[in-house]
Amino acid sequence: MQFDQSLLDTLKNAGHVCVFTGAGVSAESGIPTFRDALVGLWARFDPAALATREAFKRDPALVWGWYEWRRMLVCNARSNAAHRAIAELSTIVPKLTLVTQNVDDLHERAGSFEVIHLHGSLNKPRCFACARFAVDPLPPPDEPIHGRHLEPPRCSHCGGKLRPGVVWFGESLPTEPLAQSFAAAKDCDVLLSVGTSGVVEPAAQIPDIAWRAGATVVHINPDAKCVRNAREFWLDGRASDVLPQLLKKGFKSEKVL
Ligand code: BV8
Ligand code: ZN
C-alpha cells in the first residue's frame, strides 16, 4: 500500500496520537459490525430498536438474549492484527490515547490498556433498577445461545433485573470518558479513526474536534470517507491490512530530522 509522504512524515514526528475505533476494527475477529449485527435469526430485528431501555422494559429476555449472543461471539473471538497494531503503537509514540465505541474487550485482549469505552462494555452488566454494577462476573455464555430468549440474572443488592453494561440509544454517555475523549481529540497531533461509520452521536464528533484543533486526521475504512484538506486522509482498506503497514512505513521509520 502506498502512503502520501507528507502523511508518513507527520506520523514519524507525532507526539500525541489519538486512536478512535468503531465496530470495523473488530469485524475481522468475526464480530458483526453494528449495522449488520443482525445475522441469521436476528435479521428480523433492528439493532437500534433492541439497544434501548424501552426494548428491555418491553421484553427483557429478548434483549438480554441478544447481548448474551453477542458476548458469546466476543468470548469465542480472538483479537486481530488491527488490535495488535494499536497496542504496539502505544509502545512507539510518546503518548497514545485509545477511545473506542465498541463494547467488546478485544483491544484489552490484544494488549492495550487504559482503553476509554464511550459506549460501555458487554462484560460489566448492571442492575436495571438500582444501577449498581453486578458484583459477580458473568459466567462464560453457554453454547448455542443464538436466538434464544434468556431471562436476565438478578441484582444481588435489590433483586432487580440485570441489564447489559452498555450505553443504549437515548442514554447519556459516561461523563468522564467523554470528557477525556474530547480533550484527547483537542490535544493530539494525529487522530486515527478506524472502522467507524461516524453516524452515532456524540462520539462521531471526535474526528471533527481533532481536525478543527489542527490535528492530522486519518480515516481507515473500506468505505469511502470525504476528506476536507491536506490534513485529512482516507486510507481505503481493512484495518488489519492498513494499520501494520502504517506503523512500519510511518510511525516506526526513521524520524525526519
Ligand atoms: C446521547 C452500545 C444524550 C450498545 C451504541 C445528536 C446528539 C446527541 C444524540 C443524538 C444526536 N443525534 C442523534 C442522537 C441520538 C443517538 C444517535 O446518535 N443516533 C444515530 C443512530 C443517529 N445517540 C444517542 O442516543 C447517544 N446518547 O447522545 O445521550 C441524549 C439523551 C437523551 C435523548 C437524546 C440524547 C447514545 C449513543 C450510543 C448508542 N450505543 N453501542 C450496543 O452496542 O448494543 S452505538 C453502536 O454504534 C456501537 O457502539 C457502535 O460502535 C456504534 C457506532 O457504530 P460503528 O462503530 O461506526 O459501527 P458501524 O457498523 O456503524 O460501522 C462500521 C464501520 O466499519 C463501517 O464504516 C464499515 O465500512 C467499517 N468496516 C467494516 N469492516 C472494516 C471496517 N473498517 C476497517 N476495517 C474493516 N475490516
Ligand atoms: Zn439492584
Side-chain angles (χ1 to χ4, degrees):
M1 187 168 195
Q2 289 300 319
F3 298 111
D4 180 293
Q5 190 54 50
S6 71
L7 170 61
L8 296 179
D9 293 344
T10 303
L11 300 186
K12 283 176 200 132
N13 296 297
H16 180 190
V17 175
C18 182
V19 181
F20 173 59
T21 65
V25 80
S26 296
E28 289 155 89
S29 295
I31 308 300
T33 61
F34 199 79
R35 271 147 200 83
D36 57 31
L38 304 168
V39 287
L41 201 70
W42 298 101
R44 61 183 190 280
F45 296 108
D46 166 8
L50 277 174
T52 65
R53 290 181 65 84
E54 294 68 33
F56 187 83
K57 272 191 227 163
R58 197 170 42 249
D59 190 343
L62 171 71
V63 174
W64 184 260
W66 184 52
Y67 279 92
E68 279 296 274
W69 170 63
R70 289 172 60 190
R71 192 167 70 89
M72 178 195 70
L73 289 180
V74 172
C75 281
N76 295 340
R78 295 155 55 105
S79 51
N80 63 55
H83 297 111
R84 289 192 293 276
I86 293 167
E88 185 187 355
L89 186 57
S90 65
T91 67
I92 298 167
V93 296
K95 183 177 178 185
L96 182 128
T97 305
L98 174 53
V99 178
T100 190
Q101 299 170 93
N102 298 342
V103 294
D104 64 50
D105 60 351
L106 294 176
H107 280 304
E108 290 85 347
R109 285 158 58 185
S112 288
F113 49 90
E114 291 176 2
V115 182
I116 300 174
H117 282 269
L118 284 177
H119 294 157
S121 164
L122 283 172
N123 296 311
K124 293 183 182 152
R126 52 193 168 87
C127 178
F128 192 74
C130 72
R132 280 181 176 78
F133 281 98
V135 176
D136 305 319
L138 287 172
D142 60 345
E143 306 264 352
I145 285 176
H146 197 66
R148 267 174 39 200
H149 280 62
L150 284 178
E151 267 311 306
R154 293 290 173 158
C155 166
S156 54
H157 180 79
C158 78
K161 291 188 170 84
L162 291 188
R163 55 159 285 177
V166 300
V167 178
W168 278 330
F169 289 100
E171 292 186 318
S172 298
L173 273 61
T175 317
E176 188 51 29
L178 188 59
Q180 285 175 319
S181 305
F182 283 3
K186 285 188 187 108
D187 179 67
C188 69
D189 304 301
V190 171
L191 183 127
L192 305 181
S193 177
V194 187
T196 181
S197 59
V199 298
V200 174
E201 296 287 353
Q205 296 167 27
I206 289 171
D208 200 44
I209 290 170
W211 184 79
R212 291 182 190 287
T216 293
V217 174
V218 184
H219 302 278
I220 297 170
N221 197 317
D223 272 6
K225 291 283 179 185
C226 64
V227 294
R228 284 161 286 197
N229 71 355
R231 277 192 295 107
E232 192 166 21
F233 298 84
W234 165 50
L235 303 181
D236 173 7
R238 304 184 320 169
S240 63
D241 295 331
V242 174
L243 277 169
Q245 293 187 62
L246 210 55
L247 260 70
K248 191 165 148 224
K249 296 180 182 172
F251 292 105
K252 286 167 77 172
S253 55
E254 285 309 307
K255 283 204 184 309
V256 175
L257 296 175

